[in-house]
Amino acid sequence: GIVAVLDAASNKGCTDITVLGIDFYECEYLTVCSSTNTKEAPKRSGIDKAPHMKEFLTNQLKKLPDVKFKFYTYSTFNPELENVEIIN
């Protein structure tokens, strides 16, 4: 998802991008095991990479100040950039 967002901004020339559902594994619906109904993150979910993904995305968004981004997310992600709006 993050690569698609950056591709739209960098390679496709989009200047106004709305992103839905990149929640960085922070919402419970992403980590509740459907068979046991317990909060057990899947071993290969990438949940441990979420902080790195946020940092990477923030650094890339800084390089695109002329592109307006709007994120609808359950995540705590907020790069606090002028060109980024977060809607929780």
Coordinates of all heavy atoms in Angstrom, one line a residue:
G1 N 0.8 -1.2 0.0 CA 0.0 0.0 0.0 C 0.9 1.3 0.0 O 0.5 2.2 -0.7
I2 N 1.9 1.3 0.8 CA 2.7 2.5 0.9 C 3.4 2.7 -0.4 O 3.5 3.8 -0.9 CB 3.8 2.3 2.0 CG1 3.0 2.4 3.4 CG2 4.8 3.4 2.0 CD1 3.9 2.0 4.6
V3 N 3.9 1.7 -1.1 CA 4.6 1.8 -2.4 C 3.6 2.3 -3.4 O 4.0 3.2 -4.2 CB 5.2 0.5 -2.8 CG1 5.7 0.5 -4.2 CG2 6.3 0.0 -1.8
A4 N 2.4 1.9 -3.4 CA 1.4 2.4 -4.3 C 1.1 3.9 -4.1 O 1.0 4.6 -5.1 CB 0.1 1.6 -4.2
V5 N 1.0 4.3 -2.9 CA 0.8 5.8 -2.6 C 2.0 6.6 -3.1 O 1.8 7.6 -3.8 CB 0.7 6.0 -1.1 CG1 0.7 7.4 -0.7 CG2 -0.6 5.3 -0.6
L6 N 3.2 6.1 -2.9 CA 4.4 6.9 -3.3 C 4.5 6.8 -4.9 O 5.0 7.8 -5.5 CB 5.6 6.3 -2.6 CG 5.6 6.5 -1.1 CD1 6.8 5.8 -0.5 CD2 5.6 8.0 -0.7
D7 N 4.2 5.7 -5.5 CA 4.2 5.6 -6.9 C 3.2 6.6 -7.5 O 3.6 7.3 -8.5 CB 3.8 4.2 -7.4 CG 3.9 4.0 -8.9 OD1 4.9 4.4 -9.5 OD2 2.8 3.6 -9.4
A8 N 2.0 6.7 -7.0 CA 1.1 7.7 -7.5 C 1.6 9.1 -7.4 O 1.4 9.9 -8.4 CB -0.3 7.6 -6.7
A9 N 2.3 9.4 -6.4 CA 2.8 10.8 -6.2 C 4.1 11.0 -7.0 O 4.2 12.1 -7.6 CB 3.1 11.1 -4.7
S10 N 5.0 10.1 -7.0 CA 6.3 10.3 -7.7 C 6.3 10.0 -9.2 O 6.9 10.7 -9.9 CB 7.3 9.4 -7.0 OG 7.4 9.7 -5.7
N11 N 5.6 8.9 -9.6 CA 5.7 8.5 -11.0 C 4.4 8.8 -11.8 O 4.5 8.9 -13.0 CB 5.9 7.0 -11.0 CG 7.3 6.6 -10.4 OD1 8.2 7.4 -10.4 ND2 7.3 5.5 -9.7
K12 N 3.3 8.9 -11.2 CA 2.1 9.1 -11.9 C 1.6 10.6 -12.0 O 0.7 11.0 -12.7 CB 0.9 8.3 -11.3 CG 1.2 6.8 -11.2 CD 1.4 6.1 -12.5 CE 1.5 4.6 -12.3 NZ 2.4 4.0 -13.2
G13 N 2.3 11.4 -11.2 CA 2.0 12.8 -11.2 C 0.8 13.3 -10.5 O 0.3 14.4 -10.7
C14 N 0.3 12.4 -9.6 CA -0.9 12.8 -8.8 C -0.5 13.9 -7.8 O 0.6 13.8 -7.2 CB -1.5 11.6 -8.1 SG -2.0 10.3 -9.2
T15 N -1.4 14.9 -7.6 CA -1.1 15.9 -6.7 C -2.0 16.0 -5.5 O -1.8 16.8 -4.6 CB -1.1 17.3 -7.4 OG1 -2.4 17.5 -8.0 CG2 -0.1 17.4 -8.5
D16 N -3.0 15.1 -5.5 CA -4.0 15.1 -4.4 C -4.4 13.6 -4.2 O -5.0 13.0 -5.0 CB -5.3 15.9 -4.7 CG -6.1 16.1 -3.5 OD1 -5.9 15.6 -2.5 OD2 -7.1 16.9 -3.7
I17 N -3.8 13.0 -3.1 CA -4.0 11.6 -2.9 C -4.7 11.3 -1.6 O -4.3 11.8 -0.5 CB -2.6 10.9 -2.9 CG1 -1.9 11.1 -4.2 CG2 -2.7 9.4 -2.5 CD1 -0.5 10.7 -4.3
T18 N -5.7 10.5 -1.7 CA -6.5 10.0 -0.5 C -6.1 8.6 -0.2 O -6.2 7.8 -1.2 CB -8.0 10.2 -0.7 OG1 -8.2 11.6 -0.9 CG2 -8.8 9.8 0.5
V19 N -5.8 8.2 1.0 CA -5.4 6.9 1.4 C -6.4 6.3 2.4 O -6.6 7.0 3.4 CB -3.9 6.9 1.9 CG1 -3.5 5.5 2.3 CG2 -3.0 7.5 0.9
L20 N -6.9 5.2 2.1 CA -7.8 4.5 3.1 C -7.2 3.2 3.6 O -6.7 2.4 2.8 CB -9.1 4.1 2.4 CG -9.9 5.3 1.7 CD1 -11.0 4.8 0.8 CD2 -10.3 6.3 2.7
G21 N -7.2 3.0 4.9 CA -6.9 1.7 5.4 C -5.4 1.3 5.6 O -5.2 0.1 5.8
I22 N -4.5 2.2 5.6 CA -3.2 1.9 6.0 C -3.1 2.1 7.5 O -3.0 3.3 7.9 CB -2.1 2.7 5.3 CG1 -2.1 2.3 3.8 CG2 -0.7 2.4 5.9 CD1 -1.1 3.0 2.9
D23 N -3.3 1.1 8.3 CA -3.4 1.2 9.8 C -2.2 0.7 10.5 O -2.2 0.8 11.8 CB -4.7 0.5 10.2 CG -5.9 1.1 9.7 OD1 -6.0 2.3 9.4 OD2 -6.9 0.3 9.4
F24 N -1.2 0.3 9.8 CA 0.1 -0.1 10.5 C -0.1 -1.1 11.6 O 0.6 -1.1 12.6 CB 0.9 1.1 11.0 CG 1.2 2.1 9.9 CD1 0.4 3.3 9.7 CD2 2.3 1.9 9.1 CE1 0.7 4.2 8.7 CE2 2.6 2.9 8.1 CZ 1.8 4.0 7.9
Y25 N -1.0 -2.0 11.4 CA -1.3 -3.1 12.4 C -1.7 -2.6 13.7 O -1.5 -3.4 14.7 CB -0.1 -4.0 12.5 CG 0.3 -4.6 11.1 CD1 1.4 -4.1 10.4 CD2 -0.3 -5.7 10.6 CE1 1.7 -4.6 9.2 CE2 0.0 -6.2 9.4 CZ 1.1 -5.7 8.7 OH 1.4 -6.2 7.5
E26 N -2.2 -1.4 13.9 CA -2.5 -0.9 15.2 C -4.0 -1.1 15.6 O -4.3 -0.9 16.8 CB -2.2 0.6 15.2 CG -0.7 0.9 15.2 CD -0.4 2.4 15.3 OE1 -1.3 3.2 15.5 OE2 0.7 2.8 15.1
C27 N -4.8 -1.4 14.7 CA -6.2 -1.6 15.0 C -6.4 -3.1 15.4 O -5.9 -4.0 14.7 CB -7.1 -1.2 13.8 SG -8.8 -1.2 14.3
E28 N -7.3 -3.3 16.4 CA -7.5 -4.7 16.8 C -8.0 -5.7 15.8 O -7.6 -6.8 15.7 CB -8.5 -4.7 18.0 CG -8.6 -6.0 18.7 CD -9.4 -6.0 19.9 OE1 -8.9 -5.5 20.9 OE2 -10.6 -6.4 19.9
Y29 N -8.8 -5.2 14.8 CA -9.3 -6.1 13.8 C -8.2 -6.7 13.0 O -8.4 -7.7 12.4 CB -10.3 -5.4 12.9 CG -9.8 -4.4 11.9 CD1 -9.3 -4.8 10.7 CD2 -9.7 -3.0 12.2 CE1 -8.7 -3.9 9.8 CE2 -9.2 -2.1 11.3 CZ -8.7 -2.6 10.1 OH -8.2 -1.7 9.2
L30 N -7.0 -6.1 13.0 CA -6.0 -6.7 12.2 C -5.2 -7.8 13.0 O -4.4 -8.5 12.4 CB -5.0 -5.6 11.8 CG -5.5 -4.6 10.8 CD1 -4.6 -3.4 10.7 CD2 -5.6 -5.3 9.5
T31 N -5.4 -7.8 14.3 CA -4.5 -8.8 15.0 C -5.3 -9.7 15.9 O -4.8 -10.4 16.7 CB -3.6 -8.0 16.0 OG1 -4.3 -7.1 16.8 CG2 -2.6 -7.2 15.1
V32 N -6.6 -9.8 15.7 CA -7.4 -10.8 16.5 C -7.5 -12.0 15.6 O -8.0 -12.0 14.5 CB -8.8 -10.2 16.8 CG1 -9.7 -11.3 17.4 CG2 -8.8 -9.1 17.8
C33 N -7.1 -13.1 16.2 CA -7.1 -14.4 15.5 C -8.6 -14.9 15.4 O -9.3 -15.0 16.3 CB -6.3 -15.4 16.3 SG -6.3 -17.1 15.5
S34 N -9.0 -15.1 14.1 CA -10.4 -15.5 13.9 C -10.8 -16.9 14.5 O -11.9 -17.1 14.8 CB -10.7 -15.5 12.4 OG -9.9 -16.4 11.7
S35 N -9.8 -17.8 14.6 CA -10.1 -19.1 15.1 C -10.2 -19.2 16.6 O -10.9 -20.0 17.2 CB -9.2 -20.2 14.5 OG -7.8 -19.8 14.9
T36 N -9.4 -18.4 17.3 CA -9.4 -18.4 18.8 C -10.0 -17.2 19.4 O -10.2 -17.1 20.6 CB -7.9 -18.5 19.3 OG1 -7.2 -17.3 18.9 CG2 -7.2 -19.8 18.8
N37 N -10.3 -16.2 18.5 CA -10.9 -14.9 19.0 C -10.0 -14.2 20.1 O -10.5 -13.6 21.0 CB -12.3 -15.1 19.5 CG -13.1 -13.8 19.3 OD1 -12.8 -13.0 18.4 ND2 -14.1 -13.6 20.1
T38 N -8.7 -14.4 20.0 CA -7.8 -13.8 20.9 C -6.9 -12.8 20.1 O -6.7 -13.0 18.9 CB -6.9 -14.8 21.7 OG1 -6.2 -15.6 20.7 CG2 -7.8 -15.7 22.5
K39 N -6.3 -11.9 20.8 CA -5.4 -10.9 20.2 C -4.0 -11.5 20.1 O -3.1 -11.2 20.8 CB -5.4 -9.6 21.0 CG -4.7 -8.5 20.3 CD -4.9 -7.2 21.1 CE -4.1 -6.1 20.5 NZ -4.4 -5.7 19.2
E40 N -3.8 -12.4 19.1 CA -2.5 -13.0 18.8 C -2.1 -12.6 17.4 O -2.7 -13.0 16.4 CB -2.6 -14.5 18.8 CG -3.0 -15.0 20.2 CD -3.3 -16.5 20.2 OE1 -3.0 -17.2 19.2 OE2 -3.7 -17.1 21.2
A41 N -1.1 -11.8 17.3 CA -0.7 -11.3 16.0 C -0.1 -12.5 15.2 O 0.7 -13.3 15.7 CB 0.4 -10.2 16.1
P42 N -0.4 -12.6 13.9 CA 0.2 -13.7 13.1 C 1.7 -13.5 13.1 O 2.2 -12.4 13.1 CB -0.4 -13.4 11.7 CG -1.7 -12.6 12.0 CD -1.4 -11.8 13.2
K43 N 2.4 -14.6 13.1 CA 3.8 -14.6 13.2 C 4.5 -13.8 12.0 O 5.5 -13.2 12.1 CB 4.4 -16.0 13.2 CG 3.9 -16.8 14.4 CD 4.7 -16.4 15.6 CE 4.4 -17.4 16.8 NZ 3.4 -16.9 17.7
R44 N 3.9 -13.9 10.8 CA 4.5 -13.2 9.6 C 3.7 -12.0 9.2 O 3.7 -11.7 8.0 CB 4.6 -14.3 8.5 CG 5.5 -15.4 8.9 CD 5.2 -16.7 8.1 NE 5.5 -16.5 6.7 CZ 6.5 -16.9 6.0 NH1 7.5 -17.5 6.6 NH2 6.6 -16.8 4.7
S45 N 3.0 -11.3 10.1 CA 2.1 -10.2 9.7 C 2.9 -9.0 9.4 O 2.3 -8.1 8.7 CB 1.2 -9.9 10.9 OG 1.9 -9.4 12.0
G46 N 4.1 -8.8 9.8 CA 4.8 -7.5 9.6 C 4.6 -6.5 10.7 O 5.0 -5.4 10.6
I47 N 3.9 -6.9 11.8 CA 3.5 -6.0 12.8 C 4.7 -5.4 13.5 O 4.7 -4.2 13.9 CB 2.6 -6.7 13.9 CG1 1.9 -5.7 14.8 CG2 3.4 -7.7 14.7 CD1 0.8 -6.3 15.6
D48 N 5.8 -6.1 13.5 CA 7.1 -5.6 14.1 C 7.7 -4.6 13.2 O 8.6 -3.8 13.6 CB 8.0 -6.7 14.4 CG 8.4 -7.6 13.2 OD1 7.6 -7.7 12.3 OD2 9.5 -8.1 13.2
K49 N 7.3 -4.5 12.0 CA 7.9 -3.5 11.0 C 7.1 -2.2 11.0 O 7.6 -1.3 10.3 CB 8.0 -4.1 9.6 CG 8.9 -5.3 9.6 CD 8.9 -5.9 8.2 CE 9.9 -7.1 8.0 NZ 9.6 -8.2 8.9
A50 N 6.0 -2.1 11.7 CA 5.2 -0.9 11.6 C 6.0 0.4 11.9 O 5.8 1.4 11.2 CB 4.0 -1.0 12.5
P51 N 6.8 0.4 13.0 CA 7.5 1.7 13.3 C 8.4 2.1 12.1 O 8.6 3.3 11.8 CB 8.3 1.4 14.5 CG 7.6 0.3 15.2 CD 7.0 -0.5 14.1
H52 N 9.1 1.1 11.5 CA 9.9 1.4 10.3 C 9.1 1.9 9.1 O 9.6 2.8 8.4 CB 10.7 0.1 10.0 CG 11.6 -0.4 11.1 ND1 12.7 0.3 11.6 CD2 11.4 -1.5 11.8 CE1 13.2 -0.5 12.6 NE2 12.5 -1.5 12.7
M53 N 8.0 1.3 8.9 CA 7.1 1.7 7.8 C 6.7 3.2 8.0 O 6.6 4.0 7.1 CB 5.9 0.8 7.7 CG 6.2 -0.6 7.3 SD 4.9 -1.9 7.4 CE 3.4 -1.1 7.5
K54 N 6.3 3.5 9.3 CA 5.9 4.9 9.5 C 7.0 5.9 9.3 O 6.8 7.0 8.7 CB 5.4 5.1 11.0 CG 4.1 4.4 11.3 CD 3.8 4.7 12.8 CE 2.6 3.9 13.2 NZ 2.3 4.2 14.6
E55 N 8.2 5.5 9.7 CA 9.4 6.4 9.5 C 9.7 6.6 8.1 O 10.0 7.7 7.6 CB 10.6 5.8 10.3 CG 11.8 6.7 10.2 CD 13.0 6.1 10.9 OE1 12.9 5.1 11.6 OE2 14.1 6.7 10.8
F56 N 9.7 5.5 7.3 CA 10.0 5.5 5.9 C 8.9 6.4 5.2 O 9.3 7.2 4.4 CB 9.9 4.1 5.3 CG 10.0 4.1 3.8 CD1 11.2 4.2 3.2 CD2 8.9 3.8 3.1 CE1 11.3 4.2 1.8 CE2 8.9 3.8 1.7 CZ 10.2 4.0 1.0
L57 N 7.7 6.2 5.5 CA 6.6 6.9 4.8 C 6.7 8.4 5.1 O 6.6 9.3 4.3 CB 5.2 6.4 5.2 CG 4.0 7.1 4.6 CD1 4.1 7.1 3.1 CD2 2.7 6.5 5.1
T58 N 7.0 8.8 6.4 CA 7.2 10.2 6.8 C 8.3 10.8 6.0 O 8.2 11.9 5.5 CB 7.5 10.3 8.3 OG1 6.3 9.8 9.0 CG2 7.7 11.7 8.7
N59 N 9.4 10.1 5.9 CA 10.6 10.6 5.2 C 10.3 10.9 3.7 O 10.7 11.8 3.1 CB 11.8 9.7 5.3 CG 12.4 9.8 6.7 OD1 12.2 10.8 7.4 ND2 13.0 8.7 7.1
Q60 N 9.5 10.0 3.1 CA 9.1 10.1 1.7 C 8.2 11.2 1.5 O 8.2 12.0 0.5 CB 8.6 8.8 1.2 CG 9.6 7.6 1.2 CD 10.9 8.0 0.5 OE1 10.9 8.4 -0.7 NE2 12.0 7.8 1.1
L61 N 7.2 11.4 2.4 CA 6.2 12.5 2.3 C 6.9 13.8 2.4 O 6.4 14.8 1.7 CB 5.1 12.3 3.4 CG 4.3 11.1 3.3 CD1 3.3 11.0 4.4 CD2 3.5 11.0 1.9
K62 N 7.9 13.9 3.2 CA 8.7 15.2 3.3 C 9.3 15.6 1.9 O 9.4 16.8 1.7 CB 9.8 15.0 4.3 CG 9.4 15.0 5.7 CD 10.6 14.8 6.6 CE 10.2 14.7 8.1 NZ 11.3 14.5 9.0
K63 N 9.6 14.6 1.1 CA 10.2 14.9 -0.2 C 9.2 15.3 -1.2 O 9.6 15.6 -2.4 CB 11.0 13.6 -0.7 CG 12.1 13.2 0.2 CD 12.7 11.9 -0.3 CE 13.8 11.5 0.6 NZ 14.4 10.2 0.2
L64 N 7.9 15.3 -0.9 CA 6.8 15.6 -1.8 C 5.9 16.7 -1.3 O 4.7 16.5 -1.1 CB 6.0 14.3 -2.1 CG 6.7 13.1 -2.6 CD1 6.0 11.8 -2.4 CD2 7.0 13.3 -4.1
P65 N 6.5 17.8 -1.0 CA 5.7 18.9 -0.3 C 4.6 19.5 -1.2 O 3.7 20.1 -0.7 CB 6.8 20.0 0.0 CG 7.9 19.7 -1.0 CD 7.9 18.3 -1.3
D66 N 4.7 19.3 -2.5 CA 3.7 19.8 -3.4 C 2.5 18.9 -3.6 O 1.5 19.2 -4.3 CB 4.3 20.2 -4.8 CG 5.3 21.3 -4.6 OD1 5.2 22.2 -3.7 OD2 6.3 21.3 -5.4
V67 N 2.6 17.7 -3.0 CA 1.5 16.7 -3.1 C 0.7 16.8 -1.8 O 1.3 16.7 -0.7 CB 2.0 15.3 -3.4 CG1 0.9 14.3 -3.5 CG2 2.9 15.3 -4.6
K68 N -0.6 16.8 -1.9 CA -1.5 16.8 -0.7 C -1.9 15.4 -0.5 O -2.5 14.7 -1.4 CB -2.7 17.7 -1.0 CG -2.4 19.2 -1.2 CD -1.9 19.8 0.0 CE -1.6 21.3 -0.2 NZ -0.7 21.9 0.7
F69 N -1.7 14.9 0.8 CA -2.1 13.6 1.2 C -3.2 13.7 2.2 O -3.1 14.5 3.2 CB -0.9 12.8 1.7 CG 0.2 12.6 0.8 CD1 1.2 13.5 0.6 CD2 0.2 11.4 0.0 CE1 2.2 13.2 -0.3 CE2 1.2 11.2 -0.9 CZ 2.2 12.1 -1.1
K70 N -4.2 12.8 2.1 CA -5.2 12.7 3.2 C -5.3 11.2 3.5 O -5.5 10.3 2.7 CB -6.6 13.1 2.7 CG -7.7 13.1 3.7 CD -9.0 13.5 3.2 CE -9.0 15.0 2.8 NZ -10.3 15.5 2.5
F71 N -5.0 10.9 4.8 CA -5.0 9.5 5.3 C -6.2 9.3 6.2 O -6.4 10.0 7.2 CB -3.8 9.2 6.1 CG -2.5 9.1 5.3 CD1 -1.8 10.2 4.9 CD2 -2.1 7.8 4.9 CE1 -0.6 10.0 4.2 CE2 -0.9 7.7 4.1 CZ -0.2 8.8 3.8
Y72 N -7.1 8.3 5.9 CA -8.1 7.9 6.7 C -7.6 6.6 7.4 O -7.3 5.6 6.7 CB -9.4 7.5 6.0 CG -10.1 8.7 5.4 CD1 -9.8 9.3 4.2 CD2 -11.2 9.3 6.2 CE1 -10.5 10.4 3.7 CE2 -11.9 10.4 5.7 CZ -11.5 10.9 4.5 OH -12.2 12.0 4.0
T73 N -7.3 6.7 8.7 CA -6.6 5.6 9.4 C -7.0 5.4 10.8 O -7.4 6.4 11.5 CB -5.1 5.8 9.3 OG1 -4.4 4.7 9.9 CG2 -4.6 7.1 9.9
Y74 N -6.9 4.2 11.3 CA -7.1 4.0 12.8 C -5.8 4.1 13.5 O -5.7 3.9 14.7 CB -7.7 2.6 13.0 CG -9.2 2.5 12.7 CD1 -9.6 1.7 11.6 CD2 -10.1 3.2 13.4 CE1 -10.9 1.6 11.3 CE2 -11.5 3.1 13.0 CZ -11.9 2.3 12.0 OH -13.2 2.2 11.7
S75 N -4.7 4.3 12.7 CA -3.3 4.3 13.3 C -3.1 5.6 14.0 O -3.8 6.6 13.8 CB -2.4 4.2 12.1 OG -1.0 4.4 12.6
T76 N -2.0 5.6 14.8 CA -1.5 6.8 15.5 C -0.6 7.6 14.5 O -0.1 8.6 14.9 CB -0.8 6.5 16.8 OG1 0.3 5.6 16.4 CG2 -1.7 5.8 17.8
F77 N -0.4 7.1 13.3 CA 0.5 7.8 12.4 C 0.1 9.2 12.2 O -1.1 9.5 11.9 CB 0.4 7.0 11.0 CG 1.2 7.7 9.9 CD1 2.6 7.7 9.9 CD2 0.5 8.3 8.9 CE1 3.3 8.3 8.9 CE2 1.2 8.9 7.8 CZ 2.6 8.9 7.9
N78 N 1.0 10.1 12.4 CA 0.8 11.5 12.1 C 2.2 12.2 11.9 O 2.9 12.5 12.9 CB 0.1 12.2 13.2 CG -0.4 13.6 12.8 OD1 0.1 14.2 11.9 ND2 -1.2 14.2 13.6
P79 N 2.6 12.4 10.7 CA 3.9 13.0 10.4 C 4.0 14.5 10.7 O 5.0 15.1 10.7 CB 4.1 12.7 9.0 CG 2.8 12.6 8.4 CD 1.9 12.0 9.5
E80 N 2.8 15.1 11.0 CA 2.8 16.5 11.3 C 3.4 17.4 10.2 O 4.3 18.2 10.4 CB 3.3 16.8 12.7 CG 2.5 16.1 13.8 CD 3.0 16.5 15.2 OE1 3.9 17.4 15.3 OE2 2.5 15.8 16.1
L81 N 3.0 17.1 9.0 CA 3.5 17.8 7.8 C 2.4 18.7 7.2 O 1.2 18.3 7.3 CB 4.0 16.9 6.7 CG 5.2 16.0 7.1 CD1 5.5 14.9 6.1 CD2 6.4 16.8 7.4
E82 N 2.7 19.8 6.7 CA 1.7 20.7 6.1 C 0.9 20.1 5.0 O -0.2 20.4 4.8 CB 2.4 22.0 5.5 CG 3.0 22.9 6.6 CD 1.9 23.6 7.4 OE1 0.9 24.0 6.8 OE2 2.1 23.7 8.6
N83 N 1.5 19.2 4.2 CA 0.9 18.5 3.1 C 0.1 17.3 3.4 O -0.4 16.6 2.6 CB 1.9 18.3 2.0 CG 3.0 17.3 2.4 OD1 3.4 17.3 3.5 ND2 3.4 16.5 1.4
V84 N 0.0 16.9 4.7 CA -0.6 15.7 5.2 C -1.7 16.0 6.1 O -1.6 16.6 7.1 CB 0.4 14.7 5.8 CG1 -0.2 13.4 6.3 CG2 1.6 14.4 4.9
E85 N -2.9 15.4 5.8 CA -4.1 15.5 6.7 C -4.4 14.1 7.2 O -4.5 13.2 6.4 CB -5.3 16.1 6.0 CG -6.5 16.2 6.8 CD -7.7 16.8 6.1 OE1 -7.6 17.1 4.9 OE2 -8.8 16.9 6.7
I86 N -4.6 13.9 8.5 CA -4.9 12.6 9.1 C -6.3 12.7 9.6 O -6.7 13.6 10.4 CB -3.9 12.3 10.3 CG1 -2.5 12.3 9.8 CG2 -4.3 11.0 10.9 CD1 -2.1 11.2 8.9
I87 N -7.1 11.7 9.2 CA -8.5 11.6 9.7 C -8.6 10.3 10.4 O -8.5 9.2 9.8 CB -9.5 11.8 8.6 CG1 -9.3 13.2 7.9 CG2 -10.9 11.6 9.1 CD1 -10.1 13.4 6.7
N88 N -8.9 10.3 11.7 CA -9.1 9.1 12.5 C -10.5 8.8 12.7 O -11.4 9.6 12.8 CB -8.4 9.2 13.9 CG -6.9 9.4 13.8 OD1 -6.4 10.4 14.0 ND2 -6.2 8.3 13.4

